[in-house]
Amino acid sequence: MYQSQRNEEYAGEAYYGDSSTHASPPTRTRRCMIMVAASLVAVLVGGVAVDRIAAARAEGRTAEAFQDGTGTADRPSVHVRGFPVLNQLAAGRLDHVDLTAHDIPAGGSTRPLPVTRLTVGMDGLKTSGSADEAHADGVTASAFLSYADVSRALGVQVSQGDESGRVDATASLPLVGDVTVSASVSAAGGNRIAFTDVRAEQGELLPPLKSLLDKALEEPIPLQNVPEGLRLRSVTTTEDGIDARFTGRSVTFHPDSSSA
């Protein structure tokens, strides 16, 4: 009786031990599932690659249209948001596009003020059949104007003021000396930047220096080559320059898109 029970225990141990050391081979169903999963991964990877190629082409066309419209020496950087891009292209409308351009020239003005850096966010971007034009339903943009560029445009040395929203302007003349005034910076109509509330800060405001500063600061300075449809909303001063904020509806980018 006792021996029989021990034999049963040994038999059970042998059975379980054998099952734990020998894995059953994959079934045909499992192999099929693995093959299907691998095929789906390959299709998805291929689809992403094709979509990325389409996005790159759309980015290139948008950059070309913007470069033609503003005359930048270097091609702007462009990023198309959203996935899949192919569906957006099929609908003829990109949901959102971010663009950054540098050194936008401003010719044809007595006081040309180039845009040092322009960042643009475009919603509902549509491109024409040719690469020289693009249209956006809504746009927000920020233009950075370095003090070096502002100084060259105004003919006086401009730097950050001691108070927020103000700049210092220094005029210099041989045999006369230097004088520095502080001016408030604000947005004016026609996409222009105005310098108002001028206060003497340092030096004697002699007539020749006053005349030089009046010529530089009395008239608002226009921002040229800003895409048609953008409107200047506000300006702020920073350590290195002036930030100008724009918004616009129904904005077009094409070779004659200068707003000034």
Side-chain angles (χ1 to χ4, degrees):
M1 182 70 147
Y2 177 78
Q3 184 67 32
S4 174
Q5 184 176 2
R6 293 283 297 176
N7 290 338
E8 290 177 0
E9 291 177 356
Y10 291 150
E13 290 175 1
Y15 175 78
Y16 287 115
D18 184 68
S19 66
S20 64
T21 56
H22 294 83
S24 59
T27 65
R28 179 173 296 181
T29 301
R30 286 182 61 192
R31 289 196 297 269
C32 290
M33 291 176 64
I34 292 172
M35 292 176 63
V36 169
S39 299
L40 288 174
V41 170
V43 170
L44 288 174
V45 170
V48 170
V50 171
D51 197 74
R52 185 56 249 176
I53 292 172
R57 289 178 177 173
E59 290 165 355
R61 287 174 60 86
T62 302
E64 184 178 351
F66 188 90
Q67 186 176 28
D68 288 344
T70 58
T72 57
D74 298 323
R75 184 70 59 90
S77 64
V78 178
H79 182 65
V80 175
R81 302 286 182 181
F83 180 85
V85 174
L86 282 171
N87 289 0
Q88 300 177 45
L89 291 172
R93 181 180 183 275
L94 297 174
D95 294 340
H96 185 84
V97 178
D98 291 320
L99 178 148
T100 301
H102 295 85
D103 300 322
I104 301 175
S109 171
T110 55
R111 295 189 299 167
L113 175 57
V115 175
T116 310
R117 183 181 66 253
L118 181 68
T119 57
V120 184
M122 297 169 279
D123 293 318
L125 182 67
K126 303 172 187 176
T127 57
S128 67
S130 60
D132 63 354
E133 184 172 294
H135 179 87
D137 294 337
V139 175
T140 58
S142 175
F144 174 73
L145 315 166
S146 71
Y147 286 132
D149 286 336
V150 175
S151 298
R152 282 189 288 268
L154 297 181
V156 295
Q157 188 65 37
V158 179
S159 60
Q160 186 181 29
D162 292 336
E163 300 177 29
S164 175
R166 299 185 70 86
V167 295
D168 287 343
T170 300
S172 302
L173 285 176
L175 306 179
V176 177
D178 301 342
V179 65
T180 298
V181 298
S182 171
S184 176
V185 184
S186 60
N191 288 350
R192 299 179 301 165
I193 295 179
F195 301 91
T196 58
D197 188 23
V198 178
R199 311 170 187 168
E201 291 288 323
Q202 184 178 350
E204 186 177 357
L205 194 58
L206 299 173
L209 294 172
K210 182 179 185 303
S211 176
L212 182 59
L213 288 166
D214 287 345
K215 182 180 178 181
L217 303 176
E218 275 188 346
E219 290 294 325
I221 187 168
L223 297 178
Q224 289 192 301
N225 265 345
V226 175
E228 179 183 342
L230 283 182
R231 294 293 175 264
L232 180 62
R233 303 302 183 187
S234 64
V235 293
T236 56
T237 57
T238 70
E239 182 179 355
D240 301 315
I242 299 172
D243 275 327
R245 303 284 178 171
F246 297 83
T247 60
R249 306 293 299 177
S250 188
V251 179
T252 302
F253 303 86
H254 57 69
D256 296 319
S257 63
S258 172
S259 64

mmCIF file with all atom_site columns, all heavy atoms in Angstrom, residues 115-142:
data_model
loop_
_atom_site.group_PDB
_atom_site.id
_atom_site.type_symbol
_atom_site.label_atom_id
_atom_site.label_alt_id
_atom_site.label_comp_id
_atom_site.label_asym_id
_atom_site.label_entity_id
_atom_site.label_seq_id
_atom_site.pdbx_PDB_ins_code
_atom_site.Cartn_x
_atom_site.Cartn_y
_atom_site.Cartn_z
_atom_site.occupancy
_atom_site.B_iso_or_equiv
_atom_site.pdbx_formal_charge
_atom_site.auth_seq_id
_atom_site.auth_comp_id
_atom_site.auth_asym_id
_atom_site.auth_atom_id
_atom_site.pdbx_PDB_model_num
ATOM 1   N N   . VAL A 1 115 ? 14.377 92.575 -41.431 1.00 0.00 ? 115 VAL A N   1
ATOM 2   C CA  . VAL A 1 115 ? 13.910 91.721 -40.340 1.00 0.00 ? 115 VAL A CA  1
ATOM 3   C C   . VAL A 1 115 ? 15.004 90.697 -40.065 1.00 0.00 ? 115 VAL A C   1
ATOM 4   O O   . VAL A 1 115 ? 15.341 89.889 -40.929 1.00 0.00 ? 115 VAL A O   1
ATOM 5   C CB  . VAL A 1 115 ? 12.584 91.027 -40.697 1.00 0.00 ? 115 VAL A CB  1
ATOM 6   C CG1 . VAL A 1 115 ? 12.178 90.055 -39.599 1.00 0.00 ? 115 VAL A CG1 1
ATOM 7   C CG2 . VAL A 1 115 ? 11.489 92.064 -40.918 1.00 0.00 ? 115 VAL A CG2 1
ATOM 8   N N   . THR A 1 116 ? 15.562 90.752 -38.872 1.00 0.00 ? 116 THR A N   1
ATOM 9   C CA  . THR A 1 116 ? 16.665 89.854 -38.531 1.00 0.00 ? 116 THR A CA  1
ATOM 10  C C   . THR A 1 116 ? 16.209 88.400 -38.496 1.00 0.00 ? 116 THR A C   1
ATOM 11  O O   . THR A 1 116 ? 16.888 87.512 -39.016 1.00 0.00 ? 116 THR A O   1
ATOM 12  C CB  . THR A 1 116 ? 17.254 90.234 -37.161 1.00 0.00 ? 116 THR A CB  1
ATOM 13  O OG1 . THR A 1 116 ? 17.517 91.638 -37.130 1.00 0.00 ? 116 THR A OG1 1
ATOM 14  C CG2 . THR A 1 116 ? 18.543 89.481 -36.894 1.00 0.00 ? 116 THR A CG2 1
ATOM 15  N N   . ARG A 1 117 ? 15.074 88.162 -37.890 1.00 0.00 ? 117 ARG A N   1
ATOM 16  C CA  . ARG A 1 117 ? 14.525 86.801 -37.832 1.00 0.00 ? 117 ARG A CA  1
ATOM 17  C C   . ARG A 1 117 ? 13.003 86.878 -37.806 1.00 0.00 ? 117 ARG A C   1
ATOM 18  O O   . ARG A 1 117 ? 12.428 87.668 -37.065 1.00 0.00 ? 117 ARG A O   1
ATOM 19  C CB  . ARG A 1 117 ? 15.019 86.058 -36.595 1.00 0.00 ? 117 ARG A CB  1
ATOM 20  C CG  . ARG A 1 117 ? 14.527 84.602 -36.509 1.00 0.00 ? 117 ARG A CG  1
ATOM 21  C CD  . ARG A 1 117 ? 15.021 83.904 -35.244 1.00 0.00 ? 117 ARG A CD  1
ATOM 22  N NE  . ARG A 1 117 ? 14.476 84.462 -34.016 1.00 0.00 ? 117 ARG A NE  1
ATOM 23  C CZ  . ARG A 1 117 ? 15.170 85.194 -33.157 1.00 0.00 ? 117 ARG A CZ  1
ATOM 24  N NH1 . ARG A 1 117 ? 16.423 85.478 -33.387 1.00 0.00 ? 117 ARG A NH1 1
ATOM 25  N NH2 . ARG A 1 117 ? 14.603 85.668 -32.065 1.00 0.00 ? 117 ARG A NH2 1
ATOM 26  N N   . LEU A 1 118 ? 12.345 86.043 -38.610 1.00 0.00 ? 118 LEU A N   1
ATOM 27  C CA  . LEU A 1 118 ? 10.889 85.988 -38.656 1.00 0.00 ? 118 LEU A CA  1
ATOM 28  C C   . LEU A 1 118 ? 10.436 84.555 -38.429 1.00 0.00 ? 118 LEU A C   1
ATOM 29  O O   . LEU A 1 118 ? 10.851 83.640 -39.144 1.00 0.00 ? 118 LEU A O   1
ATOM 30  C CB  . LEU A 1 118 ? 10.375 86.488 -40.008 1.00 0.00 ? 118 LEU A CB  1
ATOM 31  C CG  . LEU A 1 118 ? 8.848  86.510 -40.178 1.00 0.00 ? 118 LEU A CG  1
ATOM 32  C CD1 . LEU A 1 118 ? 8.232  87.572 -39.269 1.00 0.00 ? 118 LEU A CD1 1
ATOM 33  C CD2 . LEU A 1 118 ? 8.474  86.776 -41.638 1.00 0.00 ? 118 LEU A CD2 1
ATOM 34  N N   . THR A 1 119 ? 9.592  84.362 -37.417 1.00 0.00 ? 119 THR A N   1
ATOM 35  C CA  . THR A 1 119 ? 8.994  83.046 -37.179 1.00 0.00 ? 119 THR A CA  1
ATOM 36  C C   . THR A 1 119 ? 7.502  83.158 -37.453 1.00 0.00 ? 119 THR A C   1
ATOM 37  O O   . THR A 1 119 ? 6.847  84.091 -36.987 1.00 0.00 ? 119 THR A O   1
ATOM 38  C CB  . THR A 1 119 ? 9.232  82.568 -35.737 1.00 0.00 ? 119 THR A CB  1
ATOM 39  O OG1 . THR A 1 119 ? 8.710  83.540 -34.816 1.00 0.00 ? 119 THR A OG1 1
ATOM 40  C CG2 . THR A 1 119 ? 10.718 82.406 -35.467 1.00 0.00 ? 119 THR A CG2 1
ATOM 41  N N   . VAL A 1 120 ? 6.977  82.199 -38.203 1.00 0.00 ? 120 VAL A N   1
ATOM 42  C CA  . VAL A 1 120 ? 5.598  82.263 -38.664 1.00 0.00 ? 120 VAL A CA  1
ATOM 43  C C   . VAL A 1 120 ? 4.905  80.933 -38.392 1.00 0.00 ? 120 VAL A C   1
ATOM 44  O O   . VAL A 1 120 ? 5.458  79.866 -38.682 1.00 0.00 ? 120 VAL A O   1
ATOM 45  C CB  . VAL A 1 120 ? 5.524  82.572 -40.180 1.00 0.00 ? 120 VAL A CB  1
ATOM 46  C CG1 . VAL A 1 120 ? 4.081  82.735 -40.624 1.00 0.00 ? 120 VAL A CG1 1
ATOM 47  C CG2 . VAL A 1 120 ? 6.323  83.818 -40.510 1.00 0.00 ? 120 VAL A CG2 1
ATOM 48  N N   . GLY A 1 121 ? 3.697  80.992 -37.856 1.00 0.00 ? 121 GLY A N   1
ATOM 49  C CA  . GLY A 1 121 ? 2.834  79.826 -37.714 1.00 0.00 ? 121 GLY A CA  1
ATOM 50  C C   . GLY A 1 121 ? 1.620  80.007 -38.598 1.00 0.00 ? 121 GLY A C   1
ATOM 51  O O   . GLY A 1 121 ? 0.896  80.995 -38.449 1.00 0.00 ? 121 GLY A O   1
ATOM 52  N N   . MET A 1 122 ? 1.395  79.082 -39.534 1.00 0.00 ? 122 MET A N   1
ATOM 53  C CA  . MET A 1 122 ? 0.325  79.222 -40.529 1.00 0.00 ? 122 MET A CA  1
ATOM 54  C C   . MET A 1 122 ? -0.699 78.108 -40.383 1.00 0.00 ? 122 MET A C   1
ATOM 55  O O   . MET A 1 122 ? -0.343 76.924 -40.349 1.00 0.00 ? 122 MET A O   1
ATOM 56  C CB  . MET A 1 122 ? 0.921  79.199 -41.943 1.00 0.00 ? 122 MET A CB  1
ATOM 57  C CG  . MET A 1 122 ? 1.863  80.350 -42.225 1.00 0.00 ? 122 MET A CG  1
ATOM 58  S SD  . MET A 1 122 ? 2.810  80.136 -43.769 1.00 0.00 ? 122 MET A SD  1
ATOM 59  C CE  . MET A 1 122 ? 4.125  79.052 -43.197 1.00 0.00 ? 122 MET A CE  1
ATOM 60  N N   . ASP A 1 123 ? -1.966 78.475 -40.312 1.00 0.00 ? 123 ASP A N   1
ATOM 61  C CA  . ASP A 1 123 ? -3.059 77.504 -40.265 1.00 0.00 ? 123 ASP A CA  1
ATOM 62  C C   . ASP A 1 123 ? -3.779 77.489 -41.614 1.00 0.00 ? 123 ASP A C   1
ATOM 63  O O   . ASP A 1 123 ? -4.045 78.535 -42.198 1.00 0.00 ? 123 ASP A O   1
ATOM 64  C CB  . ASP A 1 123 ? -4.058 77.876 -39.162 1.00 0.00 ? 123 ASP A CB  1
ATOM 65  C CG  . ASP A 1 123 ? -3.453 77.751 -37.778 1.00 0.00 ? 123 ASP A CG  1
ATOM 66  O OD1 . ASP A 1 123 ? -2.727 76.767 -37.538 1.00 0.00 ? 123 ASP A OD1 1
ATOM 67  O OD2 . ASP A 1 123 ? -3.693 78.633 -36.937 1.00 0.00 ? 123 ASP A OD2 1
ATOM 68  N N   . GLY A 1 124 ? -4.119 76.286 -42.071 1.00 0.00 ? 124 GLY A N   1
ATOM 69  C CA  . GLY A 1 124 ? -4.863 76.160 -43.317 1.00 0.00 ? 124 GLY A CA  1
ATOM 70  C C   . GLY A 1 124 ? -4.086 76.664 -44.509 1.00 0.00 ? 124 GLY A C   1
ATOM 71  O O   . GLY A 1 124 ? -4.586 77.490 -45.272 1.00 0.00 ? 124 GLY A O   1
ATOM 72  N N   . LEU A 1 125 ? -2.859 76.181 -44.693 1.00 0.00 ? 125 LEU A N   1
ATOM 73  C CA  . LEU A 1 125 ? -2.008 76.651 -45.783 1.00 0.00 ? 125 LEU A CA  1
ATOM 74  C C   . LEU A 1 125 ? -2.377 75.939 -47.080 1.00 0.00 ? 125 LEU A C   1
ATOM 75  O O   . LEU A 1 125 ? -2.380 74.717 -47.157 1.00 0.00 ? 125 LEU A O   1
ATOM 76  C CB  . LEU A 1 125 ? -0.540 76.422 -45.453 1.00 0.00 ? 125 LEU A CB  1
ATOM 77  C CG  . LEU A 1 125 ? 0.451  76.927 -46.491 1.00 0.00 ? 125 LEU A CG  1
ATOM 78  C CD1 . LEU A 1 125 ? 0.427  78.448 -46.559 1.00 0.00 ? 125 LEU A CD1 1
ATOM 79  C CD2 . LEU A 1 125 ? 1.857  76.432 -46.184 1.00 0.00 ? 125 LEU A CD2 1
ATOM 80  N N   . LYS A 1 126 ? -2.646 76.741 -48.100 1.00 0.00 ? 126 LYS A N   1
ATOM 81  C CA  . LYS A 1 126 ? -2.954 76.200 -49.425 1.00 0.00 ? 126 LYS A CA  1
ATOM 82  C C   . LYS A 1 126 ? -1.877 76.670 -50.393 1.00 0.00 ? 126 LYS A C   1
ATOM 83  O O   . LYS A 1 126 ? -1.463 77.829 -50.362 1.00 0.00 ? 126 LYS A O   1
ATOM 84  C CB  . LYS A 1 126 ? -4.320 76.698 -49.914 1.00 0.00 ? 126 LYS A CB  1
ATOM 85  C CG  . LYS A 1 126 ? -5.459 76.368 -48.962 1.00 0.00 ? 126 LYS A CG  1
ATOM 86  C CD  . LYS A 1 126 ? -6.742 77.058 -49.397 1.00 0.00 ? 126 LYS A CD  1
ATOM 87  C CE  . LYS A 1 126 ? -7.843 76.874 -48.360 1.00 0.00 ? 126 LYS A CE  1
ATOM 88  N NZ  . LYS A 1 126 ? -9.069 77.616 -48.722 1.00 0.00 ? 126 LYS A NZ  1
ATOM 89  N N   . THR A 1 127 ? -1.445 75.784 -51.271 1.00 0.00 ? 127 THR A N   1
ATOM 90  C CA  . THR A 1 127 ? -0.446 76.145 -52.276 1.00 0.00 ? 127 THR A CA  1
ATOM 91  C C   . THR A 1 127 ? -1.083 76.132 -53.644 1.00 0.00 ? 127 THR A C   1
ATOM 92  O O   . THR A 1 127 ? -2.000 75.353 -53.917 1.00 0.00 ? 127 THR A O   1
ATOM 93  C CB  . THR A 1 127 ? 0.736  75.165 -52.257 1.00 0.00 ? 127 THR A CB  1
ATOM 94  O OG1 . THR A 1 127 ? 0.251  73.836 -52.466 1.00 0.00 ? 127 THR A OG1 1
ATOM 95  C CG2 . THR A 1 127 ? 1.469  75.226 -50.932 1.00 0.00 ? 127 THR A CG2 1
ATOM 96  N N   . SER A 1 128 ? -0.600 77.023 -54.504 1.00 0.00 ? 128 SER A N   1
ATOM 97  C CA  . SER A 1 128 ? -1.113 77.087 -55.860 1.00 0.00 ? 128 SER A CA  1
ATOM 98  C C   . SER A 1 128 ? -0.450 76.011 -56.707 1.00 0.00 ? 128 SER A C   1
ATOM 99  O O   . SER A 1 128 ? 0.397  75.253 -56.238 1.00 0.00 ? 128 SER A O   1
ATOM 100 C CB  . SER A 1 128 ? -0.825 78.469 -56.464 1.00 0.00 ? 128 SER A CB  1
ATOM 101 O OG  . SER A 1 128 ? 0.566  78.633 -56.631 1.00 0.00 ? 128 SER A OG  1
ATOM 102 N N   . GLY A 1 129 ? -0.803 75.952 -57.969 1.00 0.00 ? 129 GLY A N   1
ATOM 103 C CA  . GLY A 1 129 ? -0.210 74.973 -58.854 1.00 0.00 ? 129 GLY A CA  1
ATOM 104 C C   . GLY A 1 129 ? 1.263  75.214 -59.082 1.00 0.00 ? 129 GLY A C   1
ATOM 105 O O   . GLY A 1 129 ? 2.008  74.298 -59.378 1.00 0.00 ? 129 GLY A O   1
ATOM 106 N N   . SER A 1 130 ? 1.735  76.460 -58.964 1.00 0.00 ? 130 SER A N   1
ATOM 107 C CA  . SER A 1 130 ? 3.156  76.750 -59.111 1.00 0.00 ? 130 SER A CA  1
ATOM 108 C C   . SER A 1 130 ? 3.767  76.959 -57.738 1.00 0.00 ? 130 SER A C   1
ATOM 109 O O   . SER A 1 130 ? 3.073  77.116 -56.749 1.00 0.00 ? 130 SER A O   1
ATOM 110 C CB  . SER A 1 130 ? 3.354  78.020 -59.955 1.00 0.00 ? 130 SER A CB  1
ATOM 111 O OG  . SER A 1 130 ? 2.737  79.128 -59.327 1.00 0.00 ? 130 SER A OG  1
ATOM 112 N N   . ALA A 1 131 ? 5.103  76.954 -57.685 1.00 0.00 ? 131 ALA A N   1
ATOM 113 C CA  . ALA A 1 131 ? 5.792  77.035 -56.389 1.00 0.00 ? 131 ALA A CA  1
ATOM 114 C C   . ALA A 1 131 ? 5.977  78.458 -55.914 1.00 0.00 ? 131 ALA A C   1
ATOM 115 O O   . ALA A 1 131 ? 6.585  78.687 -54.884 1.00 0.00 ? 131 ALA A O   1
ATOM 116 C CB  . ALA A 1 131 ? 7.156  76.353 -56.498 1.00 0.00 ? 131 ALA A CB  1
ATOM 117 N N   . ASP A 1 132 ? 5.468  79.448 -56.657 1.00 0.00 ? 132 ASP A N   1
ATOM 118 C CA  . ASP A 1 132 ? 5.783  80.832 -56.299 1.00 0.00 ? 132 ASP A CA  1
ATOM 119 C C   . ASP A 1 132 ? 4.692  81.499 -55.470 1.00 0.00 ? 132 ASP A C   1
ATOM 120 O O   . ASP A 1 132 ? 4.740  82.701 -55.264 1.00 0.00 ? 132 ASP A O   1
ATOM 121 C CB  . ASP A 1 132 ? 6.060  81.653 -57.569 1.00 0.00 ? 132 ASP A CB  1
ATOM 122 C CG  . ASP A 1 132 ? 4.827  81.738 -58.479 1.00 0.00 ? 132 ASP A CG  1
ATOM 123 O OD1 . ASP A 1 132 ? 3.818  81.070 -58.169 1.00 0.00 ? 132 ASP A OD1 1
ATOM 124 O OD2 . ASP A 1 132 ? 4.887  82.464 -59.482 1.00 0.00 ? 132 ASP A OD2 1
ATOM 125 N N   . GLU A 1 133 ? 3.718  80.749 -54.982 1.00 0.00 ? 133 GLU A N   1
ATOM 126 C CA  . GLU A 1 133 ? 2.667  81.378 -54.203 1.00 0.00 ? 133 GLU A CA  1
ATOM 127 C C   . GLU A 1 133 ? 2.078  80.394 -53.201 1.00 0.00 ? 133 GLU A C   1
ATOM 128 O O   . GLU A 1 133 ? 1.950  79.205 -53.482 1.00 0.00 ? 133 GLU A O   1
ATOM 129 C CB  . GLU A 1 133 ? 1.559  81.908 -55.119 1.00 0.00 ? 133 GLU A CB  1
ATOM 130 C CG  . GLU A 1 133 ? 0.478  82.667 -54.365 1.00 0.00 ? 133 GLU A CG  1
ATOM 131 C CD  . GLU A 1 133 ? -0.494 83.355 -55.312 1.00 0.00 ? 133 GLU A CD  1
ATOM 132 O OE1 . GLU A 1 133 ? -0.065 84.274 -56.009 1.00 0.00 ? 133 GLU A OE1 1
ATOM 133 O OE2 . GLU A 1 133 ? -1.666 82.952 -55.346 1.00 0.00 ? 133 GLU A OE2 1
ATOM 134 N N   . ALA A 1 134 ? 1.743  80.888 -52.025 1.00 0.00 ? 134 ALA A N   1
ATOM 135 C CA  . ALA A 1 134 ? 1.076  80.092 -50.996 1.00 0.00 ? 134 ALA A CA  1
ATOM 136 C C   . ALA A 1 134 ? 0.114  81.004 -50.254 1.00 0.00 ? 134 ALA A C   1
ATOM 137 O O   . ALA A 1 134 ? 0.333  82.215 -50.155 1.00 0.00 ? 134 ALA A O   1
ATOM 138 C CB  . ALA A 1 134 ? 2.094  79.481 -50.040 1.00 0.00 ? 134 ALA A CB  1
ATOM 139 N N   . HIS A 1 135 ? -0.970 80.421 -49.726 1.00 0.00 ? 135 HIS A N   1
ATOM 140 C CA  . HIS A 1 135 ? -2.007 81.209 -49.065 1.00 0.00 ? 135 HIS A CA  1
ATOM 141 C C   . HIS A 1 135 ? -2.403 80.510 -47.762 1.00 0.00 ? 135 HIS A C   1
ATOM 142 O O   . HIS A 1 135 ? -2.566 79.294 -47.729 1.00 0.00 ? 135 HIS A O   1
ATOM 143 C CB  . HIS A 1 135 ? -3.225 81.338 -49.983 1.00 0.00 ? 135 HIS A CB  1
ATOM 144 C CG  . HIS A 1 135 ? -4.349 82.104 -49.376 1.00 0.00 ? 135 HIS A CG  1
ATOM 145 N ND1 . HIS A 1 135 ? -4.438 83.483 -49.465 1.00 0.00 ? 135 HIS A ND1 1
ATOM 146 C CD2 . HIS A 1 135 ? -5.419 81.701 -48.649 1.00 0.00 ? 135 HIS A CD2 1
ATOM 147 C CE1 . HIS A 1 135 ? -5.539 83.873 -48.827 1.00 0.00 ? 135 HIS A CE1 1
ATOM 148 N NE2 . HIS A 1 135 ? -6.141 82.804 -48.320 1.00 0.00 ? 135 HIS A NE2 1
ATOM 149 N N   . ALA A 1 136 ? -2.529 81.290 -46.669 1.00 0.00 ? 136 ALA A N   1
ATOM 150 C CA  . ALA A 1 136 ? -2.893 80.735 -45.370 1.00 0.00 ? 136 ALA A CA  1
ATOM 151 C C   . ALA A 1 136 ? -4.146 81.415 -44.835 1.00 0.00 ? 136 ALA A C   1
ATOM 152 O O   . ALA A 1 136 ? -4.317 82.623 -44.983 1.00 0.00 ? 136 ALA A O   1
ATOM 153 C CB  . ALA A 1 136 ? -1.747 80.907 -44.376 1.00 0.00 ? 136 ALA A CB  1
ATOM 154 N N   . ASP A 1 137 ? -5.019 80.613 -44.212 1.00 0.00 ? 137 ASP A N   1
ATOM 155 C CA  . ASP A 1 137 ? -6.250 81.165 -43.639 1.00 0.00 ? 137 ASP A CA  1
ATOM 156 C C   . ASP A 1 137 ? -5.960 82.052 -42.432 1.00 0.00 ? 137 ASP A C   1
ATOM 157 O O   . ASP A 1 137 ? -6.586 83.094 -42.244 1.00 0.00 ? 137 ASP A O   1
ATOM 158 C CB  . ASP A 1 137 ? -7.190 80.034 -43.234 1.00 0.00 ? 137 ASP A CB  1
ATOM 159 C CG  . ASP A 1 137 ? -7.694 79.240 -44.425 1.00 0.00 ? 137 ASP A CG  1
ATOM 160 O OD1 . ASP A 1 137 ? -7.693 79.791 -45.548 1.00 0.00 ? 137 ASP A OD1 1
ATOM 161 O OD2 . ASP A 1 137 ? -8.084 78.074 -44.250 1.00 0.00 ? 137 ASP A OD2 1
ATOM 162 N N   . GLY A 1 138 ? -5.037 81.631 -41.597 1.00 0.00 ? 138 GLY A N   1
ATOM 163 C CA  . GLY A 1 138 ? -4.688 82.411 -40.405 1.00 0.00 ? 138 GLY A CA  1
ATOM 164 C C   . GLY A 1 138 ? -3.215 82.305 -40.102 1.00 0.00 ? 138 GLY A C   1
ATOM 165 O O   . GLY A 1 138 ? -2.603 81.252 -40.297 1.00 0.00 ? 138 GLY A O   1
ATOM 166 N N   . VAL A 1 139 ? -2.628 83.400 -39.623 1.00 0.00 ? 139 VAL A N   1
ATOM 167 C CA  . VAL A 1 139 ? -1.185 83.440 -39.384 1.00 0.00 ? 139 VAL A CA  1
ATOM 168 C C   . VAL A 1 139 ? -0.887 84.214 -38.105 1.00 0.00 ? 139 VAL A C   1
ATOM 169 O O   . VAL A 1 139 ? -1.501 85.249 -37.829 1.00 0.00 ? 139 VAL A O   1
ATOM 170 C CB  . VAL A 1 139 ? -0.444 84.113 -40.572 1.00 0.00 ? 139 VAL A CB  1
ATOM 171 C CG1 . VAL A 1 139 ? 1.042  84.251 -40.258 1.00 0.00 ? 139 VAL A CG1 1
ATOM 172 C CG2 . VAL A 1 139 ? -0.634 83.329 -41.858 1.00 0.00 ? 139 VAL A CG2 1
ATOM 173 N N   . THR A 1 140 ? 0.044  83.706 -37.325 1.00 0.00 ? 140 THR A N   1
ATOM 174 C CA  . THR A 1 140 ? 0.657  84.476 -36.242 1.00 0.00 ? 140 THR A CA  1
ATOM 175 C C   . THR A 1 140 ? 2.157  84.513 -36.525 1.00 0.00 ? 140 THR A C   1
ATOM 176 O O   . THR A 1 140 ? 2.731  83.527 -37.005 1.00 0.00 ? 140 THR A O   1
ATOM 177 C CB  . THR A 1 140 ? 0.412  83.837 -34.869 1.00 0.00 ? 140 THR A CB  1
ATOM 178 O OG1 . THR A 1 140 ? 0.924  82.504 -34.859 1.00 0.00 ? 140 THR A OG1 1
ATOM 179 C CG2 . THR A 1 140 ? -1.080 83.818 -34.548 1.00 0.00 ? 140 THR A CG2 1
ATOM 180 N N   . ALA A 1 141 ? 2.786  85.643 -36.260 1.00 0.00 ? 141 ALA A N   1
ATOM 181 C CA  . ALA A 1 141 ? 4.201  85.788 -36.595 1.00 0.00 ? 141 ALA A CA  1
ATOM 182 C C   . ALA A 1 141 ? 4.894  86.683 -35.581 1.00 0.00 ? 141 ALA A C   1
ATOM 183 O O   . ALA A 1 141 ? 4.271  87.539 -34.947 1.00 0.00 ? 141 ALA A O   1
ATOM 184 C CB  . ALA A 1 141 ? 4.364  86.364 -38.003 1.00 0.00 ? 141 ALA A CB  1
ATOM 185 N N   . SER A 1 142 ? 6.199  86.462 -35.461 1.00 0.00 ? 142 SER A N   1
ATOM 186 C CA  . SER A 1 142 ? 7.038  87.292 -34.602 1.00 0.00 ? 142 SER A CA  1
ATOM 187 C C   . SER A 1 142 ? 8.278  87.683 -35.380 1.00 0.00 ? 142 SER A C   1
ATOM 188 O O   . SER A 1 142 ? 8.985  86.814 -35.911 1.00 0.00 ? 142 SER A O   1
ATOM 189 C CB  . SER A 1 142 ? 7.427  86.533 -33.330 1.00 0.00 ? 142 SER A CB  1
ATOM 190 O OG  . SER A 1 142 ? 8.335  87.284 -32.554 1.00 0.00 ? 142 SER A OG  1
#
